[in-house]
Structures are given as structure tokens and as C-alpha cells.
Amino acid sequence: MSIEGGNYRRIRNFQDRECAKECIEDFSCFGYEWNSEERVCYLKSRSTSGKLVAKPNTMVGFCQDDEDEVRYRLQDHVIVGPIVKEAENVPDQDECKDSCLTVGSLYYSWRPNAESQRSNNVPIEEEEEEEEQPVLGHCECISTMNELRLEYDAFSGFIPVPKHKHRRSLFLRPFEV
């Protein structure tokens, strides 16, 4: 698969793991694309936006890290694909992600409602600061990523596959008769 555009750096004679490592170590890197036949790594910028298209010998990866405050989600991006579940007036992207966990979707996208869009205006009288109201948004639980769109104030992410605590338990299930 490939996402056209957003390339800001090309590195030749790289393996897939080297390409991923280069992306995670570069703060500007949003994702990467690696072509196994050409052994070329393309680093993608944070403004990457486009449809996923089939491209022989090519894979796309994203620099997402649940342990990193900046990279634990795809900030300012919306993942587009078949919607498994959606909800209105969801208070934040974390609640959206938790909701999508319950339906087994692989991705989630949260965008603020139009009337909740954050304003760039600076208040004239800073002394009378009002308590910030929560931003409500639209949540979509998505089964397959078809496209990635740049959309400011939106958040998207991957839903982690649950890890089994004990691998032995997979083999100790009783046989069906």
C-alpha cells in the first residue's frame, strides 16, 4: 500500500525496520513508506493526506507510540473508511477510542463539532477568563483505513490488539464435542 505525497526525505539501501527506526527518531516524521524491491525509504511529513492505493512491494507505516505524548495518536488527521459505529457529542478522543474498543474496530477518528471549533482569538480582558467548556465532537469507529485526511483539531488513531496474559490458555481450552 502507498499514500501518495507527503514525502520530505528519501533514503536508499534501507530495510523496513531501518526505515521505521529512522522515522521514529525524526520528530518531523509522521509515517514512512518502504519499497522492498528498490530498498528505498520515504519519510512522510505531518501534513500527509491522501488515499491508500495498492503499490507492489510497498508498505506504509505510521510513527505512533502509546508511550509518547506527541505520537500516541494521529493529531490533525481523520482516518476514512467503513464505519462500524459512530456517536455524536463525544467529549474527547480518548472516550472515542474507548468506545471503539467495545465494537472491535481497528481505527478511530474524532473531530470537534462545528460549533465547538477552537478559536484562535485571544481574549481582550485576560482577567475575566471563563472556565473552558469541554469540546464535544463526532466519533467514528472504522474497520479499514482507506484514506487519511488532514483536518485540523481532529484526532485519529489505531486501536491496539489486546495482548493475551497467558499464551498457554490458548492451548488449554476444552475441545468441542
Side-chain angles (χ1 to χ4, degrees):
M1 299 300 291
S2 171
I3 297 179
E4 296 297 326
N7 298 344
Y8 71 91
R9 188 168 163 214
R10 178 180 62 191
I11 308 165
R12 297 187 185 280
N13 297 318
F14 254 44
Q15 294 298 324
D16 58 341
R17 289 191 181 270
E18 293 172 318
C19 189
K21 185 176 183 220
E22 191 73 23
C23 182
I24 205 77
E25 289 176 355
D26 183 341
F27 183 76
S28 300
C29 190
F30 176 75
Y32 62 92
E33 185 172 301
W34 182 71
N35 183 294
S36 61
E37 187 175 321
E38 298 170 6
R39 294 187 52 198
V40 176
C41 172
Y42 297 94
L43 299 185
K44 302 281 186 180
S45 73
R46 292 194 177 272
S47 61
T48 298
S49 187
K51 292 185 178 185
L52 270 77
V53 294
K55 188 173 182 181
N57 306 311
T58 303
M59 66 175 261
V60 172
F62 296 94
C63 294
Q64 187 177 18
D65 182 357
D66 287 340
E67 305 294 319
D68 186 325
E69 285 185 34
V70 174
R71 290 183 166 162
Y72 78 95
R73 60 181 177 235
L74 306 178
Q75 186 170 351
D76 294 328
H77 285 81
V78 172
I79 294 173
V80 178
I83 298 170
V84 176
K85 175 184 171 183
E86 59 187 319
E88 294 293 334
N89 299 320
V90 177
D92 61 32
Q93 62 276 3
D94 292 327
E95 191 167 314
C96 178
K97 181 179 180 180
D98 292 343
S99 175
C100 292
L101 270 167
T102 64
V103 294
S105 65
L106 298 175
Y107 312 97
Y108 71 94
S109 283
W110 179 92
R111 62 176 68 95
N113 295 336
E115 64 275 3
S116 297
Q117 286 285 358
R118 296 181 185 121
S119 172
N120 290 332
N121 298 333
V122 178
I124 296 172
E125 296 182 30
E126 292 184 21
E127 297 170 6
E128 295 181 24
E129 288 185 30
E130 294 181 21
E131 189 174 311
E132 191 174 318
Q133 297 296 316
V135 176
L136 299 177
H138 180 80
C139 174
E140 294 177 347
C141 305
I142 300 155
S143 61
T144 305
M145 183 190 299
N146 294 338
E147 184 176 348
L148 190 64
R149 279 193 209 139
L150 187 62
E151 188 173 316
Y152 295 108
D153 291 334
F155 296 95
S156 293
F158 304 95
I159 309 239
V161 177
K163 296 178 183 173
H164 295 288
K165 290 183 180 177
H166 302 289
R167 290 191 55 98
R168 275 185 353 152
S169 64
L170 296 173
F171 303 107
L172 297 177
R173 292 186 188 148
F175 291 97
E176 292 184 4
V177 181

